[in-house]
Amino acid sequence: MLKVRNLTKVYYTGIFSRRSIFALNNLSFDVNRGDIFGIVGESGSGKTTIAQILLRLIEPDHGSVYFDKQNLLTLNGEKLRRFRQRIQAVSQNYESALNPRMKIEESLKEVFLVKGKKRCKEITRKSLSARLNEVGLNEEHLDRYPAQLSGGQLQRINIARAIALEPELIIADEPTSNLDVSVQAQIIHLMLGLKSKTNSTLIFISHDLDLVSLICNRVAVIKRGKIVETGVTEKILKHGGKKCLFQ
Ligand code: ADP
Ligand code: MG
């Protein structure tokens, strides 16, 4: 489904000496339809950079990304707009993903209006609360502002927004890293349940190899912008994926 080839992204830092950081260095991997594909690596290894490139939020310096044989990186205009509906993201910053001045009802509605081009009248309160039921919330949450909800509830709303337009691929970048331990498991359960219900593909990004090996069928271990291991989860663990990660 997704073929990532030779991705390189360089950041330059420093005003006088232009020091270069290879956030990604010639990185390639494949994701099959239906996979729960784990990308695991320590902080600063380039995980978020991959997510941002796949979502077309930043451009790489080199490389290509094929999504169903179409080169994502060359899409623009209407084609890019249509493509954006097919890939959605859930990020670790569950708070900043929602507008603090908008009620949840408006935030949810916005997804359909902006991305789905539905008309306002077609989106009823009933249909929105049905969306919330899918993520374990209910109609009363529609009237709240983000500040009135817990981290777990906010992340549930972000998940509802991500799945609203039935994307084929969901990229979850450390979706539970900023949540309490007790809530993490619930959110993971929810994501896995929705993933199998909707038949979508999931890229799960984390620094936690134990977690990734528990839920993902295939994994890429990344270190300093390079893939050090990739393949079926059990094999990676046998080959000492953990060792690669923490050496
Ligand atoms: P991860 O998500 O694995 O923690 P990132 O993809 O966020 O890693 O970052 C990879 C590397 O790129 C890090 O060394 C980070 O400091 C650097 N980096 C990321 N974004 C920028 C930026 N906008 N400017 C400069 N360096 C950046
Ligand atoms: Mg990150």
Side-chain angles (χ1 to χ4, degrees):
M1 173 192 217
L2 196 70
K3 251 185 205 306
V4 174
R5 289 292 174 271
N6 311 105
L7 274 194
T8 298
K9 176 74 190 175
V10 188
Y11 284 111
Y12 296 97
T13 57
I15 300 167
F16 301 112
S17 59
R18 295 240 305 163
R19 214 166 66 81
S20 52
I21 298 174
F22 277 77
L24 299 179
N25 193 347
N26 208 20
L27 180 136
S28 305
F29 62 90
D30 290 337
V31 179
N32 302 323
R33 202 168 275 279
D35 267 352
I36 302 182
F37 187 85
I39 298 178
V40 61
E42 59 194 11
S43 168
S45 56
K47 305 181 298 295
T48 297
T49 305
I50 299 176
Q52 288 175 329
I53 291 173
L54 298 183
L55 294 161
R56 284 290 306 263
L57 297 173
I58 59 171
E59 300 292 319
D61 295 289
H62 183 75
S64 50
V65 177
Y66 288 91
F67 185 69
D68 280 346
K69 300 199 174 114
Q70 205 170 24
N71 190 349
L72 274 191
L73 304 181
T74 59
L75 292 182
N76 50 33
E78 177 62 17
K79 275 193 176 153
L80 179 61
R81 197 192 70 77
R82 257 185 288 139
F83 150 78
R84 282 194 198 277
Q85 294 175 21
R86 299 172 66 189
I87 303 188
Q88 292 294 317
V90 178
S91 90
Q92 64 192 121
N93 307 318
Y94 52 81
E95 269 173 311
S96 54
L98 292 168
N99 184 339
R101 293 203 184 83
M102 267 160 104
K103 281 188 182 168
I104 301 307
E105 179 169 7
E106 296 166 76
S107 286
L108 267 183
K109 214 181 225 178
E110 179 191 58
V111 181
F112 294 99
L113 291 176
V114 177
K115 295 185 178 160
K117 283 208 164 166
K118 270 199 180 183
R119 269 193 234 127
C120 215
K121 271 188 239 150
E122 294 170 36
I123 310 158
T124 60
R125 203 173 152 85
K126 206 171 150 206
S127 71
L128 292 177
S129 64
R131 290 294 174 175
L132 284 190
N133 289 342
E134 282 176 349
V135 296
L137 300 173
N138 53 50
E139 188 177 350
E140 89 183 72
H141 295 106
L142 286 176
D143 298 318
R144 307 246 187 114
Y145 287 96
Q148 298 169 311
L149 296 169
S150 71
Q153 288 171 329
L154 290 175
Q155 196 60 307
R156 284 173 192 272
I157 288 165
N158 286 319
I159 293 170
R161 276 164 54 99
I163 61 166
L165 299 172
E166 296 164 6
E168 290 159 61
L169 175 66
I170 297 170
I171 302 176
D173 186 2
E174 312 239 20
T176 60
S177 308
N178 293 336
L179 294 170
D180 291 346
V181 178
S182 58
V183 183
Q184 286 180 5
Q186 295 170 10
I187 295 292
I188 300 240
H189 261 118
L190 173 68
M191 292 199 70
L192 295 182
L194 290 169
K195 191 246 159 227
S196 60
K197 206 169 108 187
T198 56
N199 246 335
S200 53
T201 305
L202 179 64
I203 294 183
F204 188 89
I205 299 177
S206 176
H207 60 272
D208 186 344
L209 186 69
D210 289 333
L211 178 60
V212 164
S213 59
L214 200 65
I215 64 172
C216 300
N217 61 316
R218 292 177 63 245
V219 178
V221 181
I222 124 168
K223 192 175 175 184
R224 289 195 210 109
K226 284 193 170 168
I227 296 222
V228 286
E229 282 247 43
T230 179
V232 178
T233 308
E234 291 82 29
K235 282 199 183 142
I236 300 264
L237 291 177
K238 240 187 237 157
H239 285 143
K242 210 163 202 163
K243 237 171 45 202
C244 298
L245 191 56
F246 296 110
Q247 252 166 18

